[in-house]
Amino acid sequence: MASHKRKLSFSEEDLSCPVCCEIFKDPLVLSCSHSVCKVCLQKCWESKGSRECPVCRRRTSKEDPPLNLALKNLCEIFSIEKIQRSSAGSELLCSQHGEKLKLFCLEDQQFVCLACQDSKSHENHNFRPIEEAALDLKEELKVKLEFLQEKPDIFKAAKATCDRTAEHIKIQTQHTERRIKEEFEKLHQFLQDEEAARIAALREEEKQKSQMIKEKMEKMSRELSDTIRALEEEMGAEDVSFLQVRTKRLSGALIHVEKHLRNLKFTVWEKMKEIIHYTPVTLNPITAHPQLVLSEDLTSVRFSDERQKLPDNPERFDYWPVVLGSEGFNSGTHCWDVDVGENTCWVLGVMTESTDRKRRVYLRSGIWYMGYYAGKNRGRSTPKPEPLLSVNRKVQKIRVTLDWDGGKLSFSDAVNNTHLHTLTHTFTERVFPYFRTACKLSPLRILPVKFHVSVERQS
């Protein structure tokens, strides 16, 4: 009741458009804070050829000013109360014809008399009796009120989702930072060990060369003493006309600096191949179904009975236990090997970027795969039927080869390179590596590929 009394303190003039002087209909608020009926503002802008306020002439940069929702609600409440006062017996007369206001014009949202109904200004308009119009407006406001009353719960739920997402982002950041530090720590440790080994080799060579020089000097000292004694004996017997003491040159006495510094950075980098692994495909965690657990290096995935608490972001699968590769392909040839081990329910292939991830996506197009489940090997290009393959053995390592430009997706045994199945399709959009598993016996593991370092001489 208090709110109704407060609204009654507004006069009709307060709630009238400065252009048409009628109760506001869809009032728009301009940057200068003035409000004008939507239709009136459009007419003013069209006639003047510029966007300016009809009241203060201030130009506005907004082509579509926002709706003044608060003012619109006030006008609707004011109209209802006006109708209620009229229906209660107060004599409201038409200012133009002096007759009692009995009708409500739905187009102009104003009270009219019977004479107004037939006037040119209300031609082809729809009218309702005041009492009926009041009930309709009340019902409309009731719906709006119910929606506004529900909004706090909707907002609360949305806020809770945002809070959970923000917390997950923080966890993701902490986890990723820890993994980065761990990987660089391995590289730092490798470089420290390599540095220590090379310095130790240098010190060992220094020790060996120093020991060799020491032994040479001791031998020369002994030989010199023997020579001096022999000469003294000879000098006592006869004159010595010429005496020459010849020192021996030492071969290999210096440190082989080139052995320790030759292409140092390159040789260390080449040796890094022992600790560095490259996988052509890595998994994308934000696409993973909540029951899939990814390895730290994002190269393997296993199924779990326990459902993780993860944000239900648009990229994530929520029906099938699926995860996609992190990189999509829209050209070229690409190949990756997957070790399925003892897994008894797996599916490998590719999926288009636009395919729905929130439903039973196998009913739709956009997926090409080979899989093994219910003890049978199968291959499919959705939405076509799923045929059984003639392969009657269980393969443990699958090679997936995508020829995007040639329109082929091939599967083969990665151990003996035996062809298993090929799907053909004219690809028109980016596709992502596709992995599905619902078996806890063995994870799906993307295998690293061998790589080598080569040196090319520039002509």
Side-chain angles (χ1 to χ4, degrees), residues 277-297:
H277 302 286
Y278 173 76
T279 51
V281 170
T282 54
L283 304 174
N284 187 350
I286 67 173
T287 66
H289 185 276
Q291 286 181 270
L292 295 183
V293 181
L294 276 56
S295 62
E296 292 280 352
D297 60 359

Side-chain angles (χ1 to χ4, degrees), residues 54-91:
V55 180
C56 65
R57 309 302 181 192
R58 179 178 173 181
R59 293 180 65 85
T60 178
S61 59
K62 293 182 179 179
E63 187 174 352
D64 296 310
L67 179 68
N68 191 335
L69 187 60
L71 181 58
K72 185 175 185 295
N73 289 337
L74 281 175
C75 291
E76 289 176 349
I77 293 173
F78 182 84
S79 297
I80 290 175
E81 293 178 344
K82 192 173 181 180
I83 293 172
Q84 289 175 336
R85 290 197 304 273
S86 175
S87 61
S90 57
E91 293 291 331

Side-chain angles (χ1 to χ4, degrees), residues 68 135 178 187 210-211 253-254 264 298 325 329 363 367 382 393 418 426-427:
N68 191 335
L135 291 175
R178 177 178 61 81
L187 294 175
S210 297
Q211 182 63 28
L254 300 179
L264 177 60
L298 305 179
F329 309 116
L363 301 179
I367 304 176
T382 59
R393 59 190 175 86
T418 304
T426 301
F427 297 107

Side-chain angles (χ1 to χ4, degrees), residues 252-276:
L254 300 179
I255 296 293
H256 288 289
V257 176
E258 80 289 348
K259 181 178 70 175
H260 300 283
L261 296 181
R262 182 178 58 229
N263 296 319
L264 177 60
K265 293 178 182 177
F266 177 82
T267 53
V268 171
W269 175 60
E270 190 177 28
K271 193 174 180 181
M272 271 189 173
K273 293 188 298 181
E274 300 173 6
I275 65 166
I276 294 175

Side-chain angles (χ1 to χ4, degrees), residues 120-151:
K120 187 176 181 180
S121 61
H122 292 280
E123 188 177 2
N124 297 324
H125 286 189
N126 294 312
F127 302 91
R128 293 284 186 277
I130 286 180
E131 293 80 4
E132 186 178 329
L135 291 175
D136 290 343
L137 283 173
K138 281 184 178 180
E139 188 62 31
E140 184 179 342
L141 283 178
K142 181 181 177 183
V143 172
K144 291 182 179 180
L145 180 62
E146 289 175 352
F147 175 74
L148 291 173
Q149 288 173 339
E150 290 175 358
K151 258 191 173 181

